Amino acid sequence: MIGRRVVVAALLLCAGCAGAQQPATPGAALKPCPGTPNCVSSRERDPAHRVEPLPLRGSAAEGLAAIRQVILAMPRSRIVAEGPRFLHAEFRSRVFRFVDDVDLLVDEAAGVIHVRSAARIGRSDFGVNRARIGEMRERLAALQPRAADQQR
């Protein structure tokens, strides 16, 4: 009986799903968020999808190394692609194993790392992508004192 409820809940979560969204081309500009509430991006103007970019401390390489460390410390994450100015990671949900794509793009001139975090399928993510970027921001801030101590 409980197993049947789980299956029904999973089907309801995917109701209205379009095909799976593909991640951005590595190193390219971040894709815009769709009209659904399962995506956040620092490149969006719409408050429903907007998050602030992450601060870049140091060079592009140093910033990506720090965010790489943050991502790998988070549960059910893996880095899929990376380059001198970008990083693409996947996060899987615990129960249903849904995949969320996180794309990061360094803008050294602005001193930020632009972010996009989006569910591949479904309409709503229950705020998971926004919360994920917030957690990344907090973890990066926690790394900053260590980096400052090493420079002394």
Side-chain angles (χ1 to χ4, degrees), residues 76 91-100:
R76 297 173 307 285
F91 289 80
R92 289 196 179 272
S93 65
R94 183 183 338 230
V95 177
F96 296 115
R97 312 298 288 163
F98 294 133
V99 178
D100 292 344

Side-chain angles (χ1 to χ4, degrees), residues 59-132:
S59 68
E62 291 166 331
L64 285 174
I67 197 68
R68 185 179 211 290
Q69 181 179 347
V70 164
I71 288 170
L72 292 176
M74 295 174 76
R76 297 173 307 285
S77 65
R78 73 183 188 116
I79 294 175
V80 178
E82 57 188 308
R85 292 183 46 240
F86 76 92
L87 191 142
H88 173 75
E90 293 178 349
F91 289 80
R92 289 196 179 272
S93 65
R94 183 183 338 230
V95 177
F96 296 115
R97 312 298 288 163
F98 294 133
V99 178
D100 292 344
D101 291 296
V102 176
D103 293 304
L104 300 113
L105 187 62
V106 173
D107 182 347
E108 274 187 295
V112 298
I113 302 172
H114 285 287
V115 297
R116 180 184 189 274
S117 184
R120 281 193 189 169
I121 61 171
R123 289 194 47 80
S124 178
D125 66 352
F126 303 101
V128 169
N129 284 294
R130 184 174 298 279
R132 177 180 298 116

